[in-house]
Amino acid sequence: MRYHSTRGHPSTPGFSDILLGGLAPDGGLYLPEHYPHVSEHELSSWRGLTYAELAAEILKKFASDIPVADLEALTAKTYTAQAYCNGRVDQDASQITPLRTLEQSEGRQLILQSLSNGPTLAFKDMAMQLLGNLFEYTLQKQSGELNIFGATSGDTGSAAEYAMRGKRGIRVFMLSPHQKMSAFQSAQMFSLQDPNIFNIAVEGVFDDCQDMVKAVSNDLAFKEKQKIGTVNSINWARVVAQVIYYFRGYLSATSNNQQQVSFTVPSGNFGNICAGHIARMMGLPIRKLIVATNENDVLHEFFQTGVYRVRKSAETLHTSSPSMDISKASNFERFVFDLLDGDSARVAALFKKVETHGGFNLSGRAGSDGDEFAKVGNFGFGSGKSTHQDRLKTIRDADTRYRLTIDTHTADGIKVAREHWEPQIPMIVLETALPAKFNETIREALGRDAERPAGFEHIESLPQRFDVMAPDVAEIKRYIAQHTGL
Ligand SMILES: *Cc1c(COP(=O)(O)O)cnc(C)c1O
């Protein structure tokens, strides 16, 4: 399996070549040259597999340059009940992403698929844990080193640190805005004592952190010398790892391959639902893929109108589902490439226009950049939006009707799923975090604290290890060089 850029760059690297990288050389995103097809027979034979076995079957199709036995060992090491046991007591950890039927009436079924039972209590662990093991494996083969450098306002940074802690050849340098994350989130990251994890609290806001990462990434000489890599949401291996749980969800919710299901996905950077799109392109019988956004509704706007209009920082709202607070959706280009039938010249032009004009228009109306919006339905996509008030209402509703405390992002998903569920088609909502991570809003909605999984009761009082720094690019470069010794 070879990969190519959505913007048409002539190189066609393999899976291992793009594993540690980010964007393609022309600024595009990598996609496989074709989507592997899963036959009906194969899908049936997957019904009895464990999560780890299923993961290996799917990875084999995408990572053809890694020996099959090694992939099997890597997924067996990653997807263990022990690593995914943070779920509620009523769930079976060995299932890794257990399903729970919330509601069943008049032939309609609403199902929640738990993706947040990993070490940091958010779905990002599903992919990041695998990435940690894949990185270590690849680096050992090349006797290489990798220094992951990034900025976080919450879920991504902690998922990366828990995936990379103690891994040979890997260090993580993670910037976060000093005293701007929740006490729970900073405690999760800062309580890590592993010598290969470096937490840097920047005296500024998240944008300052991101600017520092950009400045360092633009210094190619420094980046090369210090072996700097990233694990942001455009990383192809992360997307592939997410494809697995769509298959798992489908297989668990159905008993034969004639049945269809729909998924609703709380979305920000379009990484999670992009994996659903790929699963569907591979032949998984998915009827609809519903994008759920919060007040930052860039994606909802596109799926309603065909207009993609990115927001300025000042227009990007801080909401109570903060992991979906995006100004543009970094994985969206992968879907646009398929929507445009692989016309990379047009994709390149459209995303150039995003930079120069803040967006593009595929509505087909006079003056638009194309009429492909009419084809969006062929890919199963639909969308909806949820606000803070909706979130509170949905959290209360789930508490009364299902005796279940849901997190704010999952609440956005359930609210939107209800607007799209159809008779005879199970609607699976992806649960993206546990409520303990966003306790402030749980309190506002329910007047009590969210329950904490075992082991997290006193996380805020654990000793913390982090350095405070001014938003100074020269300073962070010195810091990295000093700790890598490179
Ligand atoms: C990252 C995240 C999302 C958004 O996922 P995307 O892949 O960026 O669309 C939703 N919910 C939670 C809890 C997250 O951490």
Side-chain angles (χ1 to χ4, degrees), residues 171-232:
R171 293 182 198 85
V172 179
F173 295 90
M174 193 59 65
L175 308 182
S176 57
H178 188 37
Q179 293 172 343
K180 300 274 189 320
M181 288 190 297
S182 74
F184 185 93
Q185 283 182 316
S186 8
Q188 257 189 326
M189 291 174 54
F190 297 174
S191 63
L192 286 177
Q193 302 297 330
D194 307 73
N196 70 326
I197 304 295
F198 299 92
N199 280 303
I200 301 116
V202 174
E203 294 169 315
V205 293
F206 176 63
D207 282 341
D208 297 313
C209 302
Q210 244 182 345
D211 289 345
M212 289 166 78
V213 173
K214 265 185 220 151
V216 170
S217 302
N218 289 338
D219 183 345
L220 295 182
F222 180 84
K223 216 175 134 185
E224 191 162 334
K225 179 151 188 278
Q226 295 297 329
K227 304 186 190 304
I228 301 273
T230 54
V231 287
N232 49 25

Side-chain angles (χ1 to χ4, degrees), residues 116 121-124 154-156 185 233 238 242 245 265-274 291-292 299 321-326 329-331 407-410 430-434 437-438:
S116 39
L121 316 185
F123 90 95
K124 298 210 166 57
D155 295 339
T156 309
Q185 283 182 316
S233 90
R238 270 182 76 178
Q242 292 170 179
Y245 51 72
V265 186
S267 293
N269 273 316
F270 205 75
N272 197 351
I273 200 158
C274 184
V291 178
L299 288 168
S321 45
S323 302
M324 290 156 59
D325 292 346
I326 51 123
S330 50
N331 275 289
D407 108 282
T408 51
H409 307 76
T410 307
L430 299 185
E431 174 209 65
T432 56
L434 289 193
K437 287 197 98 162
F438 303 96

Side-chain angles (χ1 to χ4, degrees), residues 347-366:
V347 174
L350 290 182
F351 283 88
K352 182 61 71 187
K353 201 169 168 193
V354 170
E355 277 160 46
T356 55
H357 292 75
F360 54 77
N361 179 341
L362 295 177
S363 70
R365 289 192 303 271

